[in-house]
C-alpha cells in the first residue's frame, strides 16, 4: 500500500518530512508506521492577550506541538521570535523526536513558540507574555506529558516564570514541568557546559575509532559562544591542539595552539562576550570565515546554520567535521563533501548533550535529589560515547554515511516503541 505523503507550504517542515520519508524507505519501514510517524499527535494554537507598558493591549499567537510520546513525555524548547509559526513549530517538534530517540533518553519530541519580537519588549512585557502563554498551555504540559525548555530568545528567567505560573495554577510546586532553570531554583549543575561537552566527546570518539591520538590532532572551532567555547575548552583539556577559534570579530589562529582557557577568561571580562582584543604569542587574526577553510584534522562548526553550503563547501580542507550547531552544513554541502571521504558527525548526535542535560535536570527534579557537577559530566560523557558508538557501528553495517545512520537508528527506536504499544482503539 502506498502512503499518501503530507504536503506543506513551510520549507522546514517539508524538508523534515522528506528526510524522514527517504530514511523510512531505505529502512523498509512499514507503511502504517510511516503514516503514524509523519503526523504530530497534538498541535495547540493559543491567543495571548497582553497589556503593554503604554496601556494598550496586543494579542500574540502561541503554539505548542507534540509530535510523538511513544517513548515518553514530549521534550523541546519554547522560542520567542517574529517568524514563529505552527508549521515551523511542528517541524522542530518532529526533529526533536529523532534527537531524543537517538540520545537514548525516555522522551518524545515537542516544541513551542510565541510569535513576537523580543527586542521590542520590555522585561515586564516579556514576563506578561510568558505567564499568559503558560496559563493558556497549562492543560497540555506536565512532568509526564510535555516538558518545555529554553530555546531562541528564552532562557533561565523565562523558565522560572513558566514554572511559577503553572505551580500557582495547580496549587503546588511543579519544578519538573520545565527544564533550563537556574541552579538556585531547581536547575542542574553542569547544564551550562553540557552541549559543548557532548560535542567534544563526539569529536574525541571520532578520533578514537579512526585510531588518531588527540595530542597529534589539530582542530578549528567556529563560534565562541556557549557551545563553541566549551567545546574548545574540553578538547583543549583533553590534549587536542585547538589552532583556531572565531566569533564575529574575526578568526584567531595560532599554529602552536590557542590557550582556550585564557581566551574564555578574556571573553568573560568583555561586556559583549567577544574575542575582540584577545592576544597571545604567535596569534594571527583574519576574517571570521577564514576558519572554515583551514587545513585541520577536525572542523567543528558551532555557530550558525548553513555556514557551509554550496557556495563554499569546495573550499573546506578539514579531514573531518563534527557539527556543533544546528544544521551548519546544507544538503548541498553534504553532496560536495561526501566524495572527499570526510566523516561528518551529524548535529542531532553531536549536539544532543543539551537535551540529555535537560533529562538530567528533570530526573533530579522528580527525585528532589541533586548531583554534583562531576557526577553530571560523567553520566553525560558515558551516554554520548554509547550513542556515538551505536551510530558508528550502524553506519558501517548498513554502509551509509553517519547522518543517514543516525536518522535510521532514531526512527527505528520510535517505530519499535509504537509497534510494542500498539494503536489504541
Amino acid at each position: 500500500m502506498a502512503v499518501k505523503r503530507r504536503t506543506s507550504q513551510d520549507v522546514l517542515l517539508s524538508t523534515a518530512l522528506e528526510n524522514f520519508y527517504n530514511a523510512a524507505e531505505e529502512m523498509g519501514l512499514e507503511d502504517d508506521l510511516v503514516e503514524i510517524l509523519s503526523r504530530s499527535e497534538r498541535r495547540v494554537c493559543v491567543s495571548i492577550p497582553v497589556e503593554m507598558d503604554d496601556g494598550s493591549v496586543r494579542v500574540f499567537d502561541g503554539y505548542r506541538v507534540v509530535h510523538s510520546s511513544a517513548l515518553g513525555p514530549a521534550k523541546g524548547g519554547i522560542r520567542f521570535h517574529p517568524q514563529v509559526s505552527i508549521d515551523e513549530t511542528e517541524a522542530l517538534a518532529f526533529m526533536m523526536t529523532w534527537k531524543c530517540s537517538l540520545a537514548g533518553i525516555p522522551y518524545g519530541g515537542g516544541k513551542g513558540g510565541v510569535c513576537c519580537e523580543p527586542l521590542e519588549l520590555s522585561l515586564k512585557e516579556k514576563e506578561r507574555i510568558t505567564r499568559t502563554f503558560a496559563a493558556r498551555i497549562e492543560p497540555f504540559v506536565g512532568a509526564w506529558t510535555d516538558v518545555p525548555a529554553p530555546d531562541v530568545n528564552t532562557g533561565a528567567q523565562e523558565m522560572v516564570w513558566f514554572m511559577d505560573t503553572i505551580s500557582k495554577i495547580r496549587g503546588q510546586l511543579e519544578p519538573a514541568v520545565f527544564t533550563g532553570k537556574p541552579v538556585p531554583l531547581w536547575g542542574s549543575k553542569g547544564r551550562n557546559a553540557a552541549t559543548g561537552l557532548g560535542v567534544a566527546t563526539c569529536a574525541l570518539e571520532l578520533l578514537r575509532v579512526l585510531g588518531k591520538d588527540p595530542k597529534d590532532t589539530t582542530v578549528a572551532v567556529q563560534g565562541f559562544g556557549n557551545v563553541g567555547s566549551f567545546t574548545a575548552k574540553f578538547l583543549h583539556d583533553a590534549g587536542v591542539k585547538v589552532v583556531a577559534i572565531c566569533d564575529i570579530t574575526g578568526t584567531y589562529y595560532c599554529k602552536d595552539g590557542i590557550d582556550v582557557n585564557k581566551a574564555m577568561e578574556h571573553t568573560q571580562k568583555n561586556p559583549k562576550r567577544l574575542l575582540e582584543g584577545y592576544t597571545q604569542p604567535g596569534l594571527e587574526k583574519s576574517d571570521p570565515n577564514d576558519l572554515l577553510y583551514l587545513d585541520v584534522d577536525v572542523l567543528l562548526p558551532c555557530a550558525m546554520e548553513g555556514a557551509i553550503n554550496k557556495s563554499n563547501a569546495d573550499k573546506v580542507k578539514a579531514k573531518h567535521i563534527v557539527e556543533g550547531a544546528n544544521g551548519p552544513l546544507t544538503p548541498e554541502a553534504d553532496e560536495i563533501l561526501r566524495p572527499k571521504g570526510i566523516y561528518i558527525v551529524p548535529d542531532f548526535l553531536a549536539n544532543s548533550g543539551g537535551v540529555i542535560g535537560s533529562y538530567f535536570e528533570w530526573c533530579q527534579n522528580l527525585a528532589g535529589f541533586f548531583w554534583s557537577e562531576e557526577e553530571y559530566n560523567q553520566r553525560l560523557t558515558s551516554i554520548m560515547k554509547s550513542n556515538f558508538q551505536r551510530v558508528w557501528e550502524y553506519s558501517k553495517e548498513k554502509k551509509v554515511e553517519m547522518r543517514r545512520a543516525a536518522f535510521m537508528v532514531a526512527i527505528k527506536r520510535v517505530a519499535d516503541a509504537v509497534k510494542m504499544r500498539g494503536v489504541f482503539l
Side-chain angles (χ1 to χ4, degrees):
M1 179 183 70
V3 173
K4 183 179 179 181
R5 298 192 173 195
R6 293 182 56 192
T7 59
S8 172
Q9 299 301 312
D10 184 88
V11 174
L12 186 61
L13 181 54
S14 296
T15 301
L17 284 166
E18 197 60 34
N19 286 335
F20 166 70
Y21 288 133
N22 291 339
E25 183 176 359
E26 190 166 343
M27 295 168 63
L29 194 65
E30 298 94 319
D31 285 351
D32 56 354
L33 287 170
V34 173
E35 181 72 0
I36 290 170
L37 295 177
S38 68
R39 299 175 181 272
S40 294
E41 293 178 10
R42 182 170 66 238
R43 305 186 347 153
V44 176
C45 304
V46 298
S47 295
I48 307 168
V50 173
E51 183 178 343
M52 309 303 285
D53 289 346
D54 63 4
S56 65
V57 174
R58 288 182 60 188
V59 180
F60 299 89
D61 292 321
Y63 310 99
R64 186 69 190 175
V65 175
V66 171
H67 170 253
S68 173
S69 61
L71 292 171
K75 191 81 190 78
I78 291 177
R79 58 178 53 184
F80 286 1
H81 194 275
Q83 294 181 355
V84 166
S85 67
I86 187 62
D87 280 349
E88 180 203 55
T89 305
E90 183 170 20
L92 295 169
F94 195 73
M95 291 187 281
M96 279 302 299
T97 293
W98 314 130
K99 177 176 265 192
C100 292
S101 173
L102 186 64
I105 54 181
Y107 283 147
K111 208 72 176 185
V114 176
C115 184
C116 65
E117 176 48 85
L119 296 177
E120 297 176 356
L121 301 171
S122 70
L123 186 64
K124 281 298 182 182
E125 288 171 338
K126 189 180 291 188
E127 179 178 358
R128 293 182 203 119
I129 290 174
T130 303
R131 290 186 181 275
T132 305
F133 182 45
R136 290 292 169 95
I137 64 171
E138 185 273 332
F140 307 102
V141 297
W144 291 104
T145 53
D146 184 5
V147 185
D151 200 85
V152 177
N153 295 319
T154 61
Q157 178 60 76
E158 285 77 17
M159 295 307 107
V160 171
W161 289 331
F162 274 122
M163 179 192 73
D164 184 64
T165 303
I166 299 297
S167 297
K168 286 175 177 174
I169 290 173
R170 296 180 182 176
Q172 63 181 30
L173 184 63
E174 293 276 3
V177 178
F178 293 87
T179 59
K181 304 179 296 295
V183 172
L185 286 173
W186 295 76
S188 183
K189 294 177 181 177
R191 176 63 184 88
N192 193 41
T195 305
L197 176 57
V199 175
T201 300
C202 280
L204 292 170
E205 284 298 290
L206 179 64
L207 297 178
R208 182 184 64 79
V209 297
L210 295 176
K212 293 182 176 291
D213 187 341
K215 293 180 173 58
D216 297 327
T217 301
T218 58
V219 305
V221 181
Q222 184 205 26
F224 209 67
N226 178 271
V227 178
S229 62
F230 279 109
T231 296
K233 172 181 169 54
F234 287 119
L235 288 173
H236 175 267
D237 292 348
V240 175
K241 185 183 290 186
V242 181
V243 297
I245 55 178
C246 79
D247 62 13
I248 60 172
T249 67
T251 290
Y252 298 78
Y253 172 82
C254 180
K255 64 181 180 63
D256 296 321
I258 300 287
D259 186 337
V260 176
N261 291 317
K262 182 180 176 183
M264 288 183 72
E265 289 176 7
H266 174 83
T267 59
Q268 287 163 6
K269 294 176 183 176
N270 186 311
K272 295 183 179 180
R273 298 291 189 266
L274 296 174
L275 285 164
E276 185 66 51
Y278 175 69
T279 60
Q280 71 171 65
L283 188 72
E284 300 174 17
K285 183 181 176 183
S286 61
D287 185 83
N289 291 328
D290 289 348
L291 180 139
L292 297 173
Y293 316 129
L294 293 172
D295 187 1
V296 292
D297 294 308
V298 183
L299 171 64
L300 297 106
C302 299
M304 298 296 293
E305 62 183 28
I308 302 174
N309 49 63
K310 65 180 180 181
S311 68
N312 65 359
D314 60 329
K315 301 177 185 177
V316 173
K317 299 176 184 176
K319 297 178 179 65
H320 307 294
I321 297 173
V322 179
E323 296 184 318
N326 289 318
L329 274 68
T330 65
E332 293 84 1
D334 268 351
E335 292 298 322
I336 294 170
L337 295 172
R338 187 178 296 118
K340 296 183 178 182
I342 296 175
Y343 282 112
I344 300 172
V345 182
D347 51 0
F348 74 114
L349 167 61
N351 68 21
S352 62
V355 74
I356 294 171
S358 287
Y359 164 60
F360 289 170
E361 182 179 333
W362 178 74
C363 290
Q364 293 170 79
N365 289 171
L366 290 172
F369 180 79
F370 292 85
W371 312 340
S372 68
E373 187 168 352
E374 182 181 13
E375 290 174 301
Y376 183 104
N377 288 345
Q378 287 175 344
R379 288 171 170 152
L380 178 64
T381 301
S382 176
I383 290 176
M384 292 298 302
K385 287 181 177 180
S386 175
N387 292 344
F388 178 93
Q389 193 63 31
R390 198 151 41 98
V391 173
W392 177 262
E393 291 174 355
Y394 196 90
S395 72
K396 295 304 177 186
E397 176 189 343
K398 300 297 182 181
K399 295 181 172 58
V400 295
E401 70 274 13
M402 290 190 73
R403 191 184 308 284
R404 179 53 60 89
F407 213 4
M408 293 166 74
V409 167
I411 291 171
K412 185 178 185 303
R413 182 170 176 238
V414 180
D416 287 347
V418 171
K419 284 193 287 187
M420 285 188 284
R421 295 182 68 164
V423 179
F424 180 71
L425 300 177

